[in-house]
Amino acid sequence: MGWAERLRAGLARTRDALRSRVLPALGRPPAEFLSDLEAALLQADVGVAATSRILEELARRPAAGDAEERLRALREILLDLLGPPAPLVLDPPPAAVLVLGVNGSGKTATAGKLAARLRQEGRRVILAAADTFRAAAIEQLGVWAARSGADLVRHGPGADPAAVVYDALAAARARRMDVVIADTAGRLHTRTPLMAELAKIARVVDRALPVGPVERLLVLDATTGQNALAQARAFHDAVRLTGIVLAKVDVSPRAGAALAVAADLGVPVKLVGVGEDVADLGPFDPVAFVDALLPSADGG
C-alpha cells in the first residue's frame, strides 16, 4: 500500500467511531446535528477547545444544507484548524532531532523508524541512546541502528543523557553526518527531574548547533486520550516543542488528539504512525489525514 492507503487503514477505528454518530445526524435540524457532532468529536478526543472552535465555526455557516455540504464545511474547518503541512526541518546538516515522550508512547520505535526512513532517503544518521534510565531502551535502539544502517552512540545505563547527546553531536561533526536522532528518557511527564533533564539536553543541543536545525518532537500515543494534551503542555513548557508525532492511531478510535494539540498549543503534527512496520511511520499531511478521518455522506 502507498502511504495514503496506509493512513486511511490506520485511521479506520476513529473514522468508524465518527461515522456511527455523524452520519445519522447529517440530515437532522442544525441544533441536533451540532449536538451529535459535539458528542462524536469529544469521543474521538478532539478536545473541548478544538470542538468548541469547530462548532462555533459551523454555527456561523448557513443553517440549510445537505449532508455533502455539511461534511464539506466540516472538512474545511478541520483543515484550517490543523494548518498547512509542517515537514521536518533537517537542512542544512548536521541537524538534531530530540524524540520525547512518556514510556510506552512508542518513542524508541519512532526514533528507530525515523532513522530507517532517513537512511532510505540517503541521509547519514546517528542514533543517540539518551534514554539511559532504561537498559532495554539502549538495547532496542541498538537493534534499530543495525536494521537501518545508522551509527549508534551509547553510554552505559545510568549515564548522563546530555553527555550521550553531546558525544553524538561531536561524532556527527567529525564524521560529517547529516542527522542525530536522540531517544530520550520517558518517565512520567509529571516528574520535575525528568523535565529538568530534558531541558538540559535541549540546552546542550542548542549550544552545539547554534545555527543548525533542531527538531523537538513529542511522541503521543493516540490511545491515551485527553492525557495526551496534558503531556503535550508539560513537554512544551520544558523544551518548546517543534512538532508532534501521533503514534498508534491504528489501535485507537481517538486519533482526534492531533486536532486537540493543534488547537490548544499551536504545535503542528509532523509525523504519524499507523502500525509496527518501518513503513508505517510517515509525514503528516493534513489533507490526507482529514480525508481519511471523515466518512463520506454515503457511508464510505
Side-chain angles (χ1 to χ4, degrees), residues 1-299:
M1 289 190 293
W3 177 240
E5 290 77 15
R6 285 179 182 271
L7 181 61
R8 182 171 178 80
L11 287 169
R13 290 173 182 260
T14 302
R15 184 172 59 256
D16 289 347
L18 285 173
R19 177 170 54 188
S20 67
R21 284 183 174 268
V22 173
L23 286 178
L26 287 173
R28 293 174 183 163
E32 293 181 26
F33 167 65
L34 292 175
S35 177
D36 288 348
L37 179 61
E38 179 180 23
L41 293 174
L42 292 175
Q43 185 181 44
D45 274 319
V46 172
V48 174
T51 296
S52 296
R53 286 176 57 179
I54 292 166
L55 295 177
E56 288 169 5
E57 180 59 30
L58 276 174
R60 285 194 286 267
R61 305 287 178 106
D66 60 18
E68 289 287 358
E69 289 175 340
R70 281 177 166 172
L71 280 174
R72 184 162 50 249
L74 179 58
R75 180 180 184 275
E76 292 172 357
I77 294 166
L78 296 185
L79 287 175
D80 183 64
L81 194 65
L82 288 170
L88 294 177
V89 179
L90 301 176
D91 293 305
V97 179
L98 300 182
V99 182
L100 310 151
V102 301
N103 286 340
S105 63
K107 175 175 52 63
T108 302
T110 295
K113 291 175 185 178
L114 179 58
R117 185 178 187 88
L118 295 179
R119 288 287 297 139
Q120 290 171 358
E121 295 175 3
R123 295 182 185 264
R124 294 162 295 182
V125 178
I126 291 180
L127 282 167
D131 184 357
T132 58
F133 187 71
R134 294 186 305 134
I138 300 174
E139 298 303 321
Q140 184 184 0
L141 203 65
V143 172
W144 277 108
R147 288 178 61 184
S148 64
D151 288 7
L152 176 69
V153 172
R154 55 177 289 176
H155 292 187
D160 181 0
V164 177
V165 175
Y166 179 86
D167 286 351
L169 291 168
R173 290 192 295 268
R175 303 174 198 172
R176 303 181 66 84
M177 306 295 276
D178 296 313
V179 185
V180 172
I181 302 174
D183 176 33
T184 64
R187 299 184 295 283
L188 290 177
H189 64 282
T190 52
R191 290 279 298 277
T192 301
L194 171 61
M195 292 302 159
E197 176 183 286
L198 296 177
K200 178 183 176 182
I201 292 173
R203 290 193 299 271
V204 166
V205 173
D206 289 340
R207 285 196 298 268
L209 297 176
V211 296
V214 179
E215 290 279 7
R216 295 176 292 275
L217 304 178
L218 177 64
V219 180
L220 289 179
D221 180 345
T223 67
T224 59
Q226 282 302 290
N227 192 41
L229 187 54
Q231 291 174 24
R233 290 191 187 112
F235 279 95
H236 193 46
D237 288 344
V239 299
R240 306 311 296 174
L241 300 171
T242 62
I244 299 294
V245 181
L246 191 62
K248 305 182 185 180
V249 300
D250 56 310
V251 294
S252 172
R254 301 182 294 183
L259 292 155
V261 173
D264 191 89
L265 298 180
V267 177
V269 181
K270 294 197 171 186
L271 296 169
V272 60
V274 297
E276 297 297 325
D277 192 76
V278 171
D280 289 334
L281 177 73
F284 182 82
D285 180 345
V287 173
F289 180 82
V290 171
D291 285 348
L293 192 64
L294 289 180
S296 61
D298 61 6

